[in-house]
Amino acid sequence: IKDGISIIDKDYKVLMVNSEILKIFNKRNFKDLIGKNCFNEFYNNEGVCDNCPAHETFKSAELYNMTKNYFGIGKEKIVLDISTIPIKDPDGKVIQIIEHIKDITDRIKLEEQLIFQERMVAVGELASGIAHEIRNPLGNISISAQYCLSKFILPQEVKRYLKIVIKNSENANRVIKDLLNLAQPKEISFKMADISEVIKNTCNLFKAKCLKQNVHLTRRLPRGLPQILSDERKLMEAFSNI
């Protein structure tokens, strides 16, 4: 079986192990373990381990289960699920212990990842709510500043500060937009598309801005580009960011 099995006596000597125990504790052969103390060979301890499951079963004569962190080669943490089952003589006295060890490291990592993802979803929902609450007054600030610039004759110093207000409002709004994009689930819709058309459409979105800022945008695309499987909307977002 894929779980480790060992039999231990009352002196914590290893009487028998299966091959999986060798893998878990990085031992070469059975001679490395048989007749030796489990606490020393398994966990490199000089004495009986704290919260030793075998000790608990010897004391209670009942099955005992625990989770133990074991630091293997290279100090990599391995999580072990350990159960100890008593072997009794005809008088009911515990004479040996069967120790069942299961490596649950991958399962624990998966559980931790799921917990982290759940927290990230909660953070995303919270961020989304806060972002919407901030975005509306921020838009009012920017619009009010633009209105003042366009409708009133103002001193140059006042205009300069209003432009700073508008610029920083736009920067803050951009951060909020990125936050909302992060919070929203990314749904990708793939279909065959012409990459040349995607780039042309993206460039067309910036024509007015380029003219206003005296920027000459040059587009060079080779002919006969094959169609690709893609999400046009996401590609346009990517090219827009560039």
Side-chain angles (χ1 to χ4, degrees):
I1 64 173
K2 290 295 183 181
D3 302 339
I5 301 291
S6 61
I7 298 179
I8 300 165
D9 68 12
K10 294 199 73 173
D11 296 322
Y12 302 96
K13 299 287 185 185
V14 178
L15 304 180
M16 189 181 296
V17 294
N18 69 343
S19 57
E20 197 63 26
I21 285 285
L22 301 182
K23 294 178 184 177
I24 292 172
F25 295 106
N26 197 39
K27 300 295 180 179
R28 292 185 178 181
N29 54 59
F30 297 106
K31 291 180 181 179
D32 293 338
L33 296 174
I34 302 302
K36 298 179 181 179
N37 293 117
C38 58
F39 52 78
N40 184 257
E41 296 301 326
F42 290 176
Y43 306 110
N44 297 317
N45 290 332
E46 295 299 322
V48 178
C49 303
D50 294 335
N51 300 319
C52 171
H55 174 75
E56 295 296 329
T57 295
F58 277 124
K59 184 172 67 174
S60 66
E62 300 291 339
L63 183 145
Y64 187 82
N65 177 263
M66 68 172 293
T67 301
K68 183 181 181 70
N69 291 334
Y70 161 65
F71 291 89
I73 302 299
K75 299 297 181 181
E76 181 184 357
K77 185 175 82 169
I78 299 170
V79 185
L80 302 176
D81 181 77
I82 304 173
S83 296
T84 46
I85 305 102
I87 300 175
K88 302 177 182 179
D89 64 11
D91 297 325
K93 185 178 180 182
V94 180
I95 54 173
Q96 294 170 357
I97 293 291
I98 298 174
E99 190 171 59
H100 174 266
I101 301 177
K102 188 177 185 67
D103 186 343
I104 58 170
T105 307
D106 291 340
R107 192 188 82 194
I108 295 298
K109 285 181 179 178
L110 181 60
E111 289 174 355
E112 289 173 350
Q113 288 173 2
L114 290 172
I115 291 170
F116 177 75
Q117 288 172 1
E118 288 174 358
R119 287 177 178 172
M120 287 302 294
V121 168
V123 169
E125 290 174 353
L126 179 63
S128 180
I130 294 173
H132 283 298
E133 291 297 323
I134 296 173
R135 207 172 190 182
N136 290 333
L138 195 63
N140 290 333
I141 291 169
S142 180
I143 291 169
S144 298
Q146 291 177 41
Y147 180 81
C148 290
L149 281 174
S150 63
K151 292 293 181 181
F152 301 112
I153 299 172
L154 301 168
Q156 288 300 318
E157 191 71 5
V158 175
K159 288 183 177 180
R160 187 169 71 86
Y161 281 111
L162 284 174
K163 288 178 181 178
I164 291 172
V165 169
I166 294 168
K167 183 179 179 181
N168 282 279
S169 296
E170 289 174 349
N171 290 340
N173 192 57
R174 194 177 300 114
V175 172
I176 292 169
K177 183 181 177 183
D178 291 342
L179 189 62
L180 288 170
N181 288 337
L182 182 66
Q184 292 168 353
K186 302 292 188 295
E187 293 184 4
I188 308 296
S189 177
F190 288 110
K191 64 179 181 179
M192 299 304 293
D194 185 343
I195 192 71
S196 299
E197 286 301 313
V198 174
I199 293 174
K200 286 177 184 177
N201 292 336
T202 306
C203 291
N204 288 337
L205 294 175
F206 289 89
K207 271 186 177 179
K209 190 171 184 180
C210 287
L211 288 171
K212 185 179 179 182
Q213 298 183 2
N214 295 319
V215 172
H216 180 65
L217 179 62
T218 304
R219 183 183 68 237
R220 293 192 183 95
L221 297 169
R223 294 181 179 178
L225 285 176
Q227 289 198 339
I228 60 169
L229 194 64
S230 64
D231 184 318
E232 290 188 49
R233 186 170 55 87
K234 293 293 182 185
L235 271 180
M236 286 185 68
E237 285 181 15
F239 288 130
S240 295
N241 288 336
I242 293 170

